[in-house]
Amino acid sequence: MSLPSEKIQKILHQNFPQITEKGLQEEIAIIGKLMDFEAGELIMDYGSYVRMVPLIVKGCIKVSREDSEEGKELLLYLLNAGDTCSMSFTCCMLDKKSAIRTEALEATTIIGIPLKYVDSWMTKYQSWKNFVMMSYDNRLLEMVKVIDSIAFKGLDKRMEQYLKAITESTGNTTISMTHQQMADDLNVSREAVSRLLKKLEQINLVRLGRNQITLLG
DNA sequence: ACATTAAGTGATT
DNA sequence: AATCACTTAATGT
């Protein structure tokens, strides 16, 4: 078995080619902590303090926002290997409570970077700064997509995007979720989800089962 | 077999 | 499209 730091170096090469500086790679390998989460596990809840920036190595993480009122939720975006959580940077540096919730959608592995390094690397390593900037840009684009799908598209289009995002992110055409969970992600009623899925099934776009939706191609 | 949870449906707003 | 008030179907104990 290889040392954890060697393992991390290898993972960095595979998943984070943007991180090019040798010194940076070495620092990450030394101070980064490999962490595993099971499918469905809550990684960070609203209001908790963020003390690490996660580099996603494997799996899929769901990032959602909750309204201050009770139970209202909305899926913001999904993170995959090679991504990081942009929100965590801001939360870290401003020492703020998390405004979002992150949850593992499937078995997920991350490299956790303690916050004190995150900041100093910004000036020390060009590729780190670029990486952070790029990930901000990507997340922002994702959010814009979500916003205009809410503002300008009907639920049918939103559902289509949603199903596609999940199947692509997990690499599995079958989604194991209840209609209620999907309704929560989209912030619509469960009945609306059930009825829409029923329609999609009738035109052979999906196959439905209890707790699962299979996207047909 | 019974209870619980997920999903389907019609009516109303 | 939300909510309500069911019904039906699938699953767990």
Side-chain angles (χ1 to χ4, degrees):
Chain A
M1 273 294 146
S2 59
L3 259 57
S5 65
E6 286 172 2
K7 209 163 141 194
I8 291 178
Q9 289 252 20
K10 213 168 168 184
I11 289 166
L12 279 177
H13 278 116
Q14 284 166 1
N15 295 296
F16 299 90
Q18 316 94 303
I19 295 175
T20 51
E21 283 138 310
K22 195 91 176 71
L24 177 55
Q25 289 170 4
E26 282 164 1
E27 282 203 58
I28 294 175
I30 293 163
I31 56 95
K33 290 186 183 67
L34 279 175
M35 303 165 81
D36 291 299
F37 297 93
E38 295 161 28
E41 194 174 344
L42 203 63
I43 298 175
M44 210 167 290
D45 208 347
Y46 309 96
S48 56
Y49 281 93
V50 187
R51 77 281 173 225
M52 280 204 173
V53 166
L55 303 179
I56 291 98
V57 166
K58 197 197 83 186
C60 176
I61 293 178
K62 190 179 103 176
V63 178
S64 43
R65 167 83 185 138
E66 184 172 294
D67 189 63
S68 39
E69 307 292 298
E70 193 85 20
K72 299 269 183 177
E73 194 186 319
L74 179 68
L75 179 136
L76 295 179
Y77 46 76
L78 299 170
L79 298 173
N80 291 113
D83 290 330
T84 185
C85 181
S86 302
M87 291 299 282
S88 64
F89 287 112
T90 336
C91 288
C92 269
M93 293 197 232
L94 303 178
D95 194 28
K96 283 183 119 173
K97 289 179 181 176
S98 175
I100 54 169
R101 175 160 67 155
T102 57
E103 180 189 337
L105 215 60
E106 55 182 17
T108 297
T109 306
I110 66 167
I111 302 175
I113 312 287
L115 68 91
K116 62 173 179 169
Y117 299 96
V118 171
D119 192 29
S120 66
W121 288 350
M122 288 293 278
T123 48
K124 198 168 167 191
Y125 298 110
Q126 183 66 36
S127 69
W128 177 253
K129 188 174 149 189
N130 287 342
F131 174 66
V132 171
M133 290 306 177
M134 281 300 288
S135 82
Y136 261 108
D137 190 44
N138 290 151
R139 289 315 122 216
L140 216 52
L141 282 174
E142 290 285 328
M143 305 250 291
V144 168
K145 265 164 70 181
V146 171
I147 289 169
D148 68 36
S149 84
I150 292 168
F152 308 123
K153 293 176 187 169
L155 181 56
D156 49 347
K157 292 287 172 201
R158 279 224 284 157
M159 177 65 83
E160 202 178 288
Q161 251 182 245
Y162 175 76
L163 294 174
K164 223 174 82 189
I166 293 183
T167 51
E168 278 172 9
S169 199
T170 59
N172 192 166
T173 53
T174 296
I175 301 169
S176 295
M177 279 197 204
T178 65
H179 295 181
Q180 185 61 63
Q181 291 174 311
M182 301 175 66
D184 291 342
D185 283 348
L186 296 165
N187 193 20
V188 294
S189 70
R190 192 223 89 221
E191 291 92 324
V193 170
S194 293
R195 287 181 171 123
L196 183 50
L197 285 174
K198 199 86 227 203
K199 275 185 201 161
L200 295 180
E201 187 182 40
Q202 278 157 14
I203 54 176
N204 285 314
L205 276 175
V206 296
R207 194 172 64 236
L208 301 177
R210 190 186 169 89
N211 269 318
Q212 67 172 35
I213 298 98
T214 304
L215 214 60
L216 304 174

